[in-house]
Amino acid sequence: MPVDKRPLKVFLCHAHSDKDAVRELYARLRDDGVDVWLDKENLLPGQNWRAEIRAAVEKADAVIVCHSQEFNKEGFRQREVKWALDAAMEKLEGEIFIIPARLEECEVIKSLSDWHWVDLFDENGYRMLLRALQERANNIGAILQIKKGWLPSVTLPRKEKPPAKKKPESADNGGVGVGGDVSGAVIVTGDNNIIHMGQAETPGSSVEKARLEEERRKRAEEQAEREATEKAARENAEKEAAEQVRLQAEEEERRRIEKEKVEREAAEKAAREKAEREAADRIAREKAEREAAEKSAREKTKSESAEKARQEKRERLETRRAALARTSFKFFTTLKTNFTQIKPFLRIAGLTGTVIVLIWGSSWAIPKFVSLIPTAKPSATITRTVTPIPSTTTPIPTTTKTKVPTVTPRPSTFSIYDNFSSGSSSKKFDPALWIDSGGEATINWQSGYLVFSGTNGGHELRPRMPQEWQIGQIGKLQADLRIDEVSGGYAFSKIGIDTTLSDGKGVWWVQCRAGSFDGKNAQVICDSYRAKDTMELKYQTNSYSIEFGKFYTVAIEVASDASYVRYYVDGEKIGGFQPEEKNLLLKSSFGWSIGLWMDSGVTATGAVDSVMIGK
């Protein structure tokens, strides 16, 4: 049975400027039964045009490359030509696949110079193009529906026989009857079993020979069609297999490249992180070594200074002893030499001393004796003379400080408690104002403020007078806080107010702290806690971003009736809440503190200045 044939598939490659001429060629080929692919006609909106064009080139039975002056320039069409050349490599040698077609007088591109081209501007050019397409269609089992007149019928070549000698026609001029449709068949005349038109032979013999010849021809055509179909099927299967192999290879290559990219990025990331860790470790190590060296140098200097001071003191004592020994020796030598001369004077001095002792003893004993007498008027007089004495021993506050006097329980209005305007390396803070609660960190006075620094734990100062405050006395606690550096964890400079609740059920406190969790980003956070068996966070503000090394004014305001607590940074309110423990707070006594706190293993430095409290 004949196999249904498909139309020949043709891809048109052209320059954009030749679109009008190419569209006309597209229309003529369509009319002649060619399945033509043209980007302007076949591409749909939303499709990946690059992928669709490549697929069309690979699926095409033939590629017509339309040459012109504009075509022989750079552009995407050159990529289409390369795809066509790649597809041509899979075709059998001698197969028609790429057809260069010139639309005007021009040069054919170098990569296609080995293919014979056709001039479509020539009057016989289109006919030659159709002949090439017909040849390609015959080879792959495709069909063309060429309009009558465009292309003459094509027959398979047959071996020609020498012409037979012409015989006279028979008298009856009998005809030959042929069964079936033999239109388009070629009838060759000759001798022996070949039928001669008009020759008088047995009608049955001629008909039988024609029928046999027709059957042989049909069987040959069917066999050729089957072979062509099988060949086309094999070629298609091979193409599909090759395409599958190619796609699989591309997918494997893509996966390999992607895997290498992921591995390369992971390796680069690991290398960066390792370099960052090593750099951080190196910086930390260098800092620790530098600090250790500085600490050792300070301790050495201090030790040397102390030893020098002790040596100088010993030398001064030795000098004094030597001088005293010389003076004593000289005195006793002189006394021994002049003893006879000064002997009368010694007697006079002894008598004088005796008189003085007697007079002093009398002045002490007589009042004691008189005080035993019932009439005590002299005693009253003596008592009045000693009454002013205690007032002379009353401590007078130092006038060198501009702090709140220690004799004042607390400021009656909101004012500076201590601005650390004076201090020294030995006297870090005023002990009349502050109680050192202790801690691992060190405190140093520096240019009018306190610097807290250290590792592991912290340090805290509390007010000396009064040590206990009622909630109505606190008003607002304010200080300038600064965080300079944090390494290894969390640390902060802080102010805080705390109390043991009047019901004995735990500790309640509020605080504001300026610090950092990572040593890179600094912030102020204010919160409130209650703790007994466990610590419970009652309230916390959002983080308020600040800069390292800069003072910020931080304040905690507590209502006198315990109705609210508010937090401020540089005068801006950043949060507040209403304590649940209001009734307990009204009955409790409070304390407050300043200082530096840090996690275990953390190294940090911070500062506090201008501590103020009051309404």
Side-chain angles (χ1 to χ4, degrees), residues 348-613:
I348 295 172
L351 291 174
T352 304
T354 302
V355 173
I356 292 172
V357 170
L358 290 174
I359 295 172
W360 174 81
S362 299
S363 65
W364 176 81
I366 292 172
K368 290 290 183 179
F369 177 77
V370 173
S371 64
L372 298 177
I373 301 174
T375 57
K377 289 185 179 277
S379 300
T381 303
I382 297 172
T383 302
R384 282 195 299 271
T385 60
V386 299
T387 299
I389 295 175
S391 64
T392 61
T393 60
T394 302
I396 300 174
T398 177
T399 59
T400 60
K401 289 189 175 292
T402 58
K403 314 297 181 186
V404 178
T406 58
V407 296
T408 304
R410 61 172 303 282
S412 60
T413 59
F414 185 61
S415 59
I416 294 179
Y417 184 83
D418 195 354
N419 62 2
F420 311 106
S421 59
S422 62
S424 65
S425 59
S426 59
K427 187 178 181 181
K428 278 82 174 180
F429 54 86
D430 187 353
L433 294 177
W434 298 102
I435 298 174
D436 188 348
S437 297
E440 299 294 333
T442 60
I443 304 176
N444 291 295
W445 180 85
Q446 180 176 332
S447 303
Y449 56 86
L450 291 188
V451 177
F452 296 79
S453 62
T455 302
N456 295 327
H459 212 115
E460 190 175 73
L461 297 180
R462 288 183 169 271
R464 181 174 293 279
M465 293 187 62
Q467 297 181 20
E468 293 186 355
W469 300 60
Q470 299 302 312
I471 194 168
Q473 297 176 309
I474 295 176
K476 182 183 289 187
L477 173 62
Q478 176 178 299
D480 292 346
L481 302 183
R482 187 183 78 190
I483 189 69
D484 295 321
E485 62 175 346
V486 176
S487 175
Y490 182 42
F492 54 82
S493 302
K494 64 99 175 182
I495 58 173
I497 303 171
D498 56 82
T499 182
T500 300
L501 295 175
S502 59
D503 62 354
K505 295 182 178 180
V507 177
W508 181 93
W509 74 89
V510 291
Q511 62 182 357
C512 280
R513 53 190 191 271
S516 174
F517 289 93
D518 55 9
K520 298 179 182 178
N521 303 294
Q523 59 273 320
V524 172
I525 299 177
C526 301
D527 44 33
S528 173
Y529 287 88
R530 180 175 179 177
K532 187 178 181 183
D533 296 329
T534 60
M535 185 180 297
E536 178 185 3
L537 176 64
K538 308 296 290 185
Y539 175 78
Q540 188 173 77
T541 65
N542 294 328
S543 296
Y544 185 94
S545 296
I546 61 175
E547 299 178 11
F548 284 97
K550 181 178 178 181
F551 276 108
Y552 291 84
T553 302
V554 179
I556 305 172
E557 182 181 9
V558 181
S560 60
D561 59 356
S563 60
Y564 65 81
V565 176
R566 296 170 183 165
Y567 304 102
Y568 302 86
V569 177
D570 286 346
E572 177 185 350
K573 180 182 175 183
I574 65 170
F577 70 102
Q578 297 178 348
E580 298 176 356
E581 303 81 2
K582 176 180 177 180
N583 294 330
L584 297 175
L585 296 177
L586 291 173
K587 302 175 184 179
S588 300
S589 296
F590 291 80
W592 55 272
S593 62
I594 63 173
L596 178 72
W597 185 92
M598 67 196 77
D599 282 333
S600 177
V602 178
T603 301
T605 303
V608 181
D609 192 14
S610 301
V611 181
M612 307 175 73
I613 188 168

Side-chain angles (χ1 to χ4, degrees), residues 137-207:
N138 291 340
N139 290 340
I140 65 173
I143 60 172
L144 293 179
Q145 296 176 352
I146 302 175
K147 289 183 178 181
K148 186 177 180 181
W150 284 113
L151 190 65
S153 59
V154 179
T155 59
L156 293 173
R158 287 179 172 80
K159 184 177 181 181
E160 296 183 357
K161 295 184 178 181
K165 187 181 293 183
K166 186 177 181 180
K167 296 183 179 180
E169 298 177 355
S170 61
D172 57 1
N173 195 23
V176 177
V178 180
D181 184 9
V182 294
S183 60
V186 178
I187 300 176
V188 181
T189 61
D191 296 329
N192 299 328
N193 295 327
I194 304 304
I195 300 173
H196 294 276
M197 296 300 293
Q199 181 179 355
E201 292 185 10
T202 305
S205 175
S206 299
V207 172

Side-chain angles (χ1 to χ4, degrees), residues 284-312:
R285 186 169 59 254
E286 292 175 352
K287 181 179 179 182
E289 292 174 353
R290 185 172 62 253
E291 290 177 348
E294 292 174 352
K295 182 178 179 181
S296 177
R298 288 195 301 269
E299 291 176 350
K300 182 179 179 181
T301 302
K302 184 177 179 181
S303 176
E304 291 175 350
S305 299
E307 181 63 26
K308 182 178 180 181
R310 287 192 296 270
Q311 182 65 26
E312 291 176 351

